[in-house]
């Protein structure tokens, strides 16, 4: 899509710094330069203000990705694109089948109302909850990783959704530090949210999370 739109070697393309390293790789394969923008703390999608901050005279395009089933703020990003004459691409992550979306939303609503000790996803219109991603309070990665190990020990198959900022990955490294991306990498944890989950499985997960969550206090 970038090639057909006329992106050429040497052009800059703004890409997410959180997740989807394949987007930055695709830009680099064209000989263009991936420029990383920070994410919004609630959606984990590109922050339009952060996009505006990194646009230069060499910027040719912006690629936004919907994250964990939460929609990117495409309207604001397109407005920035129009202001600067940029190509704006908004791509979906692979998603759940439509028949599973309502079930996921129902499970997410149940979890939102019962989990404590972790930061639950901020509800938003159109959210399909492809992953149910919480934030673990405390001292960042050490506490998040300890929390995840304890949950797995209780039979909850949680995962770390993004292991590192894209700008720290081999072949894509840049000397930047984006605070919301760093926090998201260090604090987020994806809890299982399958359409075939039984109520007892969800209740077991809530009990396990709540028993652990009260042990962790935010660092000041």
């Amino acid at each position: 899509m970038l090639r057909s739109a006329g992106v050429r070697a040497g052009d800059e393309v703004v890409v997410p710094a959180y997740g989807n390293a394949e987007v930055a790789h695709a830009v680099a394969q064209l000989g263009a330069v991936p420029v990383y923008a920070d994410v919004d703390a609630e959606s984990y999608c590109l922050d339009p203000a952060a996009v505006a901050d990194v646009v230069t005279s060499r910027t040719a395009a912006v690629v936004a990705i919907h994250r964990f089933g939460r929609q990117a703020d495409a309207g604001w990003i397109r407005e920035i694109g129009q202001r600067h004459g940029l190509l704006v691409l908004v791509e979906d992550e692979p998603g759940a089948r439509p028949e599973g979306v309502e079930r996921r939303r129902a499970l997410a609503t149940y979890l939102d109302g019962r989990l404590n000790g972790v930061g639950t996803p901020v509800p938003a219109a159109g959210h399909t909850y492809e992953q149910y991603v919480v934030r673990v309070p405390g001292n960042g990665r050490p506490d998040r990783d300890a929390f995840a190990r304890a949950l797995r020990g209780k039979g909850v198959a949680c995962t770390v959704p993004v292991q590192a900022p894209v700008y720290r990955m081999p072949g894509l490294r840049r000397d930047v530090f984006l605070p919301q991306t760093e926090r998201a990498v260090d604090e987020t944890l994806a809890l299982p949210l399958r359409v075939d989950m039984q109520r007892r499985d969800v209740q077991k997960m809530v009990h396990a999370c709540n028993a652990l969550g009260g042990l962790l206090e935010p660092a000041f």
Side-chain angles (χ1 to χ4, degrees):
M1 292 175 68
L2 291 168
R3 183 182 293 110
S4 65
V7 175
R8 299 170 297 178
D11 286 343
E12 293 181 352
V13 178
V14 180
V15 299
Y18 181 75
N20 292 92
E22 62 270 21
V23 176
H25 277 300
V27 172
Q29 286 171 5
L30 287 175
V33 179
V35 175
Y36 304 108
D38 211 350
V39 296
D40 172 75
E42 292 185 356
S43 70
Y44 306 110
C45 303
L46 277 177
D47 180 351
V51 172
D53 285 345
V54 298
V55 169
T56 73
S57 60
R58 298 182 297 278
T59 306
V62 179
V63 181
I65 305 290
H66 302 318
R67 183 74 61 220
F68 308 138
R70 173 76 180 259
Q71 302 293 300
D73 193 347
W76 277 107
I77 293 172
R78 287 196 173 102
E79 182 174 312
I80 293 167
Q82 290 174 354
R83 191 185 313 153
H84 295 279
L86 308 176
L87 168 70
V88 175
L89 299 177
V90 182
E91 292 197 330
D92 289 317
E93 292 180 304
R97 294 181 178 180
E99 59 268 25
V101 171
E102 290 308 313
R103 174 61 175 163
R104 286 177 177 271
R105 286 175 175 157
L107 289 171
T109 298
Y110 180 89
L111 291 172
D112 289 347
R114 287 164 176 80
L115 285 172
N116 56 62
V118 296
T120 56
V122 177
H127 202 323
T128 59
Y129 294 96
E130 291 165 28
Q131 295 190 69
Y132 187 86
V133 176
V134 300
R135 284 185 184 253
V136 178
N139 294 301
R141 187 183 298 262
D143 281 346
R144 189 274 314 278
D145 290 351
F147 189 92
R149 286 193 298 271
L151 277 187
R152 292 176 192 131
K154 294 175 179 290
V156 177
C158 56
T159 59
V160 175
V162 176
Q163 296 287 338
V166 181
Y167 52 79
R168 289 192 188 152
M169 296 182 181
L172 298 170
R173 295 182 185 275
R174 295 288 187 279
D175 186 18
V176 296
F177 180 92
L178 302 178
Q180 293 301 336
T181 294
E182 297 281 343
R183 282 193 61 206
V185 167
D186 287 349
E187 297 177 357
T188 51
L189 189 67
L191 301 180
L193 193 71
R194 305 185 313 276
V195 295
D196 63 345
M197 288 181 77
Q198 302 299 312
R199 178 172 287 270
R200 64 178 179 272
D201 298 321
V202 182
Q203 290 173 336
K204 173 184 174 182
M205 180 167 66
V206 168
H207 178 74
C209 286
N210 289 352
L212 292 169
L215 302 177
L216 298 175
E217 297 294 335
F220 295 100

